[in-house]
Amino acid sequence: MGLILHHRYFCPHSRFVRLVLAERGLEAELVEERPWERRTDFLRINPEGTTPVLELVDGVAVPGPDGVAGWLDDTDSLPPGRRLMPEAIGHRIEVRRLMRWFHGKFFEEVSGPLVEEKIDKRFIPAEYGGGAPNTTALRAARANIRYHLAYVGWLAARNDWLAGPSMSYADLAAAAHLSVVDYLGEVPWNDDAAARDWYARVKSRPSFRTLLNDRVVGMQPSASYADLDF
Amino acid sequence: MGLILHHRYFCPHSRFVRLVLAERGLEAELVEERPWERRTDFLRINPEGTTPVLELVDGVAVPGPDGVAGWLDDTDSLPPGRRLMPEAIGHRIEVRRLMRWFHGKFFEEVSGPLVEEKIDKRFIPAEYGGGAPNTTALRAARANIRYHLAYVGWLAARNDWLAGPSMSYADLAAAAHLSVVDYLGEVPWNDDAAARDWYARVKSRPSFRTLLNDRVVGMQPSASYADLDF
């Protein structure tokens, strides 16, 4: 059996893993999960009940974006200078800090509420919390994206890539979260040219192609979503 | 300058870092933060604004329990077989999974709400969200601790230590979170002998001693807190 990725198409943590696998040339069978259904076979491989989970072989599963990145570092055959986790100690500290930032803070303040309110609630049955979006949560996320985008622009202007001189997990984490917000038309790209230029570079990588084909049933992506020259 | 740990005494993520440093024989000057004050010098070294942050040298700071563990692994001089991150791939996957579990899920469901409602709200000014505890949040955390304790017991009965045959970051993460809940008298130790026996082993390590002297002003610890034969 090959790799199996239990994921959701618009879960930003799942998208990070898809990008990472594609960058490393690893293919995985995609299985879409609806965590709110608490499917027994899914909970058996990940009692936490969250996506993503990368199933390596029967009975061995790696949960979470941090888990998958760590496993890849343990098994990476690339020379250290070409890995998504860089070699220099200071650079590694910054990559880990920014993974925390995007998978934690950006998710809590921006991508998490936007995906939940605008996408997930359309598909989650009312008894599990589905229904109309909470406009207070949407308003807060729309205010938060502005300072986060400015921070991305500041990081991108300081170095070639967000955490240093080479592309790393930090760029893929930021891009994964921004990509779902972009689908929803909620990234004010005109606010920050440095952030937009950096995102255009990440977005034009072959690893990004499959994400740009994802669609939410009944909801068209924003005009910028699949446009490489947005 | 030596290491400086920006922390809070009853922040479980901070306690994890104190345990890890003590296990590795590293001393750090402790600086207590009140994150709700958003102190400028603290935000400068960690824009995320959360504890813990380990300041290595002026201008280089490592935020978060995962960041500190990663940095330690990068710089560890111990032979691989004696590190807190073990050597075997399967064991490493399990250590990362359980760090996610305790620093994420256990914190959200148990230690986070209990510390916030019972400790932090006593010290946070009303305009920043302080005040009387939310009894609904307390009730939920008290229900959640029961299944978490059973899970700890199941893990402890399966191996010598939570993630495998040697003590690892997973044990220190679990013990850090349980220790604050124990201070508050909210761990139903009699429910699970395997969990209690494992915790007694971690608690009797020299690295744990300093935590057992911590006190919340005006709030005595539970009878079990500092008792090694609880």
Side-chain angles (χ1 to χ4, degrees), chain B residues 161-200:
Chain B
W161 299 92
L162 296 192
S166 61
M167 194 186 76
S168 73
Y169 289 128
D171 300 279
L172 301 180
H177 287 267
L178 277 164
S179 73
V180 297
V181 182
D182 189 32
Y183 187 96
L184 298 168
E186 300 279 7
V187 185
W189 289 117
N190 290 332
D191 279 11
D192 199 294
R196 194 182 54 214
D197 291 350
W198 159 83
Y199 188 65

Side-chain angles (χ1 to χ4, degrees), chain A residues 6-87:
Chain A
H6 300 264
H7 81 130
R8 286 185 296 147
Y9 284 100
F10 288 86
C11 156
H13 301 112
S14 297
R15 285 187 155 217
F16 168 79
V17 172
R18 287 166 70 199
L19 288 173
V20 165
L21 294 177
E23 284 288 337
R24 298 291 293 100
L26 294 169
E27 285 195 29
E29 179 191 338
L30 298 183
V31 174
E32 194 169 17
E33 294 292 339
R34 297 179 196 86
W36 55 87
E37 290 180 355
R38 302 189 62 73
R39 196 166 68 84
T40 309
D41 282 352
F42 180 54
L43 291 178
R44 189 179 53 78
I45 61 165
N46 181 25
E48 207 185 324
T50 49
T51 53
V53 180
L54 186 64
E55 205 175 346
L56 306 182
V57 293
D58 197 26
V60 181
V62 182
D66 44 345
V68 172
W71 168 74
L72 262 175
D73 295 334
D74 286 347
T75 55
D76 207 327
S77 58
L78 280 181
R82 289 182 49 211
R83 297 183 184 180
L84 290 167
M85 176 58 92
E87 203 175 4

Side-chain angles (χ1 to χ4, degrees), chain B residues 9-230:
Chain B
Y9 284 100
F10 287 86
C11 155
H13 300 112
S14 298
R15 287 188 154 215
F16 168 78
V17 171
R18 287 166 70 199
L19 288 173
V20 165
L21 293 177
E23 284 289 337
R24 297 292 292 100
L26 295 169
E27 284 195 30
E29 181 191 336
L30 297 182
V31 174
E32 194 170 17
E33 296 292 340
R34 298 180 197 85
W36 54 88
E37 291 180 355
R38 301 188 63 74
R39 195 166 68 82
T40 310
D41 282 353
F42 181 53
L43 291 177
R44 190 178 52 78
I45 61 166
N46 182 24
E48 206 185 323
T50 49
T51 54
V53 180
L54 186 64
E55 206 175 345
L56 306 183
V57 292
D58 197 28
V60 181
V62 183
D66 44 346
V68 173
W71 168 75
L72 263 175
D73 295 335
D74 286 348
T75 55
D76 208 326
S77 57
L78 282 180
R82 289 182 48 212
R83 298 183 184 179
L84 291 167
M85 177 57 95
E87 202 174 5
I89 298 284
H91 197 176
R92 294 168 75 90
I93 290 172
E94 183 68 352
V95 169
R96 289 195 193 97
R97 183 180 79 81
L98 291 177
M99 283 178 75
R100 272 182 69 76
W101 182 277
F102 291 102
H103 289 320
K105 191 175 178 72
F106 187 93
F107 178 73
E108 279 165 33
E109 297 181 351
V110 182
S111 53
L114 285 174
V115 169
E116 184 176 353
E117 300 301 332
K118 293 187 78 171
I119 301 179
D120 291 349
K121 279 188 165 180
R122 297 161 64 104
F123 300 100
I124 299 178
E127 66 267 34
Y128 296 122
N134 175 328
T135 53
T136 309
L138 289 179
R139 203 159 36 232
R142 283 169 183 150
N144 292 336
I145 179 73
R146 296 191 173 270
Y147 85 82
H148 274 287
L149 193 68
Y151 190 51
V152 169
W154 180 80
L155 292 167
R158 192 184 58 161
N159 287 299
D160 281 350
W161 299 92
L162 296 192
S166 61
M167 194 186 76
S168 73
Y169 289 128
D171 300 279
L172 301 180
H177 287 267
L178 277 164
S179 73
V180 297
V181 182
D182 189 32
Y183 187 96
L184 298 168
E186 300 279 7
V187 185
W189 289 117
N190 290 332
D191 279 11
D192 199 294
R196 194 182 54 214
D197 291 350
W198 159 83
Y199 188 65
R201 265 191 293 149
V202 182
K203 192 176 171 177
S204 60
R205 295 181 74 84
S207 64
F208 225 89
R209 238 171 257 157
T210 162
L211 271 59
L212 300 182
N213 292 326
D214 296 345
R215 292 291 179 274
V216 180
V217 174
M219 184 191 278
Q220 287 300 307
S222 69
S224 62
Y225 182 66
D227 179 4
L228 297 182
D229 303 307
F230 62 107

Side-chain angles (χ1 to χ4, degrees), chain A residues 21 47 52 56 81 92 117 123 131 134 176 192 202:
Chain A
L21 294 177
L56 306 182
R92 293 167 77 89
E117 299 302 331
F123 301 99
N134 175 328
D192 200 293
V202 182

